[in-house]
Amino acid sequence: MQAGVELITRVSVWLVPAFLLGIPLIGAAKGLKVYDLFIEGASEGLLVAARLVPYLIAIFIAVSLLRESGALALASRVLGPVAGAMGINPDLIGLALLRPISGSGSLAMLAGILQAHGPDSFVGRLACTMQGSSDTTLYILAVYFGSVGVTRTRHALLVGLAADIAGFAGAVVACRLLFG
């Protein structure tokens, strides 16, 4: 067992450098102008990044407004009794509301939940499972659709939020079955 771990460690140390050296060498062997292609790709990457900046600024402002205005706290207070009646800790409502909007904000909220309840508690395990079973839907829509210039997203927002809700519900069911 120890020999296998040692082998993996040795291979992984050399894998990234081999990859970084191997691709340019293969390209050069095929007669490609590797440096020119790299510069062309980097230029295209900068153009994509420049197109994304307005979308990123918009989503960061929206997240800040939701947090600073108290809208998330209000929604948590309103939905808390419903969650409590279903046997879900009301602290998790804020996480469920913030996760589709902000990855860093929901991660900070998760840290607070883990500090308050402990990582091995049912609430801590459920919070971690909720964090891992959903994604930052609004951020993804802003970045991905913004990068290719899509302005009509049709049903993408509803489908993304439905997937988040399904992820949260699945997290609750899975944690009740596994840790309940």
Side-chain angles (χ1 to χ4, degrees):
M1 181 71 167
Q2 183 65 22
V5 171
E6 194 172 308
L7 175 66
I8 290 171
T9 302
R10 287 184 187 202
V11 169
S12 66
V13 167
W14 289 102
L15 198 58
V16 171
F19 183 73
L20 292 175
L21 289 173
I23 290 188
L25 290 175
I26 291 170
K30 289 185 174 186
L32 299 174
K33 295 180 179 180
V34 175
Y35 183 74
D36 293 339
L37 290 170
F38 174 78
I39 296 300
E40 182 182 328
S43 297
E44 290 176 14
L46 285 174
L47 292 174
V48 169
R51 280 198 317 257
L52 287 178
V53 168
Y55 297 98
L56 293 174
I57 290 171
I59 199 71
F60 290 143
I61 289 173
V63 168
S64 295
L65 287 173
L66 282 172
R67 268 191 296 180
E68 299 302 321
S69 69
L72 285 175
L74 176 65
S76 292
R77 281 194 303 272
V78 169
L79 295 173
V82 175
M86 294 183 339
I88 299 170
N89 190 303
D91 291 348
L92 298 175
I93 297 299
L95 178 64
L97 293 173
L98 190 57
R99 179 67 178 144
I101 301 169
S102 169
S104 59
S106 65
L107 194 57
M109 187 168 282
L110 173 64
I113 291 170
L114 293 177
Q115 192 170 31
H117 298 278
D120 291 328
S121 67
F122 179 77
V123 174
R125 290 176 174 170
L126 179 55
C128 289
T129 307
M130 288 172 68
Q131 181 82 4
S133 65
S134 60
D135 213 334
T136 52
T137 302
L138 297 178
Y139 177 81
I140 288 171
L141 292 177
V143 170
Y144 292 158
F145 285 157
S147 69
V148 293
V150 174
T151 55
R152 291 184 178 166
T153 60
R154 294 206 60 195
H155 305 294
L157 178 61
L158 291 176
V159 169
L161 292 176
D164 288 331
I165 291 168
F168 295 140
V172 170
V173 169
C175 286
R176 285 233 172 98
L177 290 173
L178 294 173
F179 310 118

